[in-house]
Amino acid sequence: MAHLLVVESWVGSMSRLLPRAIRESGHEFTFLTRDLHHYVRSAPEGTAHPLLGARNVITADTNDTEALLPQVERMHTVFGFDGVITSCDYYLSTVARIADRLGLPGPSAEAVENACRKDATRRVLADAGVPGPRFAVHEEWADIARAAREIGYPLVVKPVDLCAGMYVRRVDDEAQLAAAVGVLADFPVNARGQRRAPVVLLEELLDGPEVSVETVSHAGAVHVVGVTDKSIGGAPAFIETGHMFPAALTSADAGAAEQTALGALKALGLTDGVVAHTEIKLTSTGPRVVEVNPRPAGNRITELVRHVTGIDLAAAFVEVALGHEPDLKRTDTGLRSAAIGFLVPETAGTLEALDGSRLPDTPGVLEVQLAEPGRQVKAAGSNNEYLGHVMAGDPHGTGARDRVEALLDEVRSGLVIR
């Protein structure tokens, strides 16, 4: 039995998947947080709270890394941690620095920090010759406006240190650019109380579909688990509306996406102790890297992978954090594809009606989660405002996405927001 230090977490699906994987792997964990109430108020309904499985729950300022490191060292002398892990993007760099300090397994802090900062990722990949969009990074408006003209409209405006598609916007002219930059400037602190970098990343708008490559790195070898597709909506935002695993691609396109992702991981130095989710655009001129995320995919993509291959990426995440070789053996699950679709609100108001009660009994349905009436709703601007999801599988081929879309259409027909 190993003892993991878990530093913060998301409050979504990974908040349950990661503790479950630790428990089912025969290990235990201590949970470290700056705000326990953040998790208590988001307790999952109908199931035991995942933190009840923790050996210890300790409060410390996880946003002050310099002060945290000596505290964790003292904890380590008492508890003897074998690995350190987080599912929350905002603490991946903190975990990497803790691992370095305690001599625990994991990628270098520099590699993780470069992957977590979108501007640093762009620079590292460009220097290594890994294909990506033309880009520029600036803080002052005059420099931003000039760079936008040089790249050419339309383009994409991004914060360099947020996630879930927050404040990522397509802009078609300078007026839209000014508005997007202004909105971003009014969000100086992220959802975990960390001060944001005030710089803005501008990127060439890439054509073509977007996919993600799911990988597991251990002992210098990167194993490709597969390629997931992605549907996008909510323009001018880029909201993920659904995914299917495996993506319905030709072998040539899938291979090109995989090789591009491998090149990005190698350039960043993420070849040991990492489960990664690398987003790729399959453009008319070849694959281009969108982002490299040094943690398992969100939006329950890990569950799509598990339903099709039997591979548990949350469990693999635990094992590589301990320096162990992960179990990546595929099993026959009876499914050839699995897909998830999200219910994305387009208007604000109060959710008055949303009925999916018959869906759990529908053949092929794997999961249904829908918001309860009475909830206050705002029009979605990122991946944080979903009203729920439907997941389904196909035992014969890549028909799971069509099945999910048909089911979501049925749910939407009864959706009332006033």
Side-chain angles (χ1 to χ4, degrees), residues 205-220:
L205 181 67
L206 299 172
D207 64 358
E210 186 171 328
V211 300
S212 61
V213 181
E214 322 307 337
T215 56
V216 179
S217 303
H218 174 67

Side-chain angles (χ1 to χ4, degrees), residues 343-355 371-380 385-388 411-418:
L343 194 59
V344 181
E346 298 178 355
T347 59
T350 301
L351 178 62
E352 293 198 352
L354 179 59
D355 183 17
E372 294 290 333
R375 170 175 163 177
Q376 293 301 303
V377 177
K378 64 178 182 178
E385 285 92 33
Y386 299 136
L387 293 179
V411 173
R412 290 188 190 101
S413 68
L415 172 64
V416 179
I417 299 174
R418 288 198 176 95

Side-chain angles (χ1 to χ4, degrees), residues 13-14 17 211-214 225-231 240 242-246 276-279 295-309 311-314 338-340 342 367 391:
S13 63
M14 194 54 71
L17 292 175
V211 300
S212 61
V213 181
E214 322 307 337
V225 175
V227 181
T228 311
D229 78 5
K230 177 188 295 186
S231 55
E240 297 177 5
H243 304 276
M244 184 171 73
F245 182 91
H277 169 73
T278 304
E279 297 169 343
R295 43 81 178 159
N299 273 351
R300 297 195 69 73
I301 290 173
T302 58
E303 292 302 277
L304 300 182
V305 172
R306 186 177 62 83
H307 279 300
V308 175
T309 69
I311 296 172
D312 187 339
L313 288 175
I340 188 169
F342 299 98
E367 287 183 15
M391 184 187 294

Side-chain angles (χ1 to χ4, degrees), residues 90-110:
Y90 299 136
Y91 297 95
L92 290 165
S93 296
T94 302
V95 160
R97 289 193 61 190
I98 291 172
D100 273 1
R101 182 73 163 251
L102 301 185
L104 298 175
S108 73
E110 181 183 15

Side-chain angles (χ1 to χ4, degrees), residues 321-340:
L322 292 168
H324 300 166
E325 184 174 357
D327 181 4
L328 301 178
K329 181 174 74 279
R330 292 173 180 258
T331 58
D332 184 1
T333 66
L335 291 180
R336 297 288 300 279
S337 67
I340 188 169

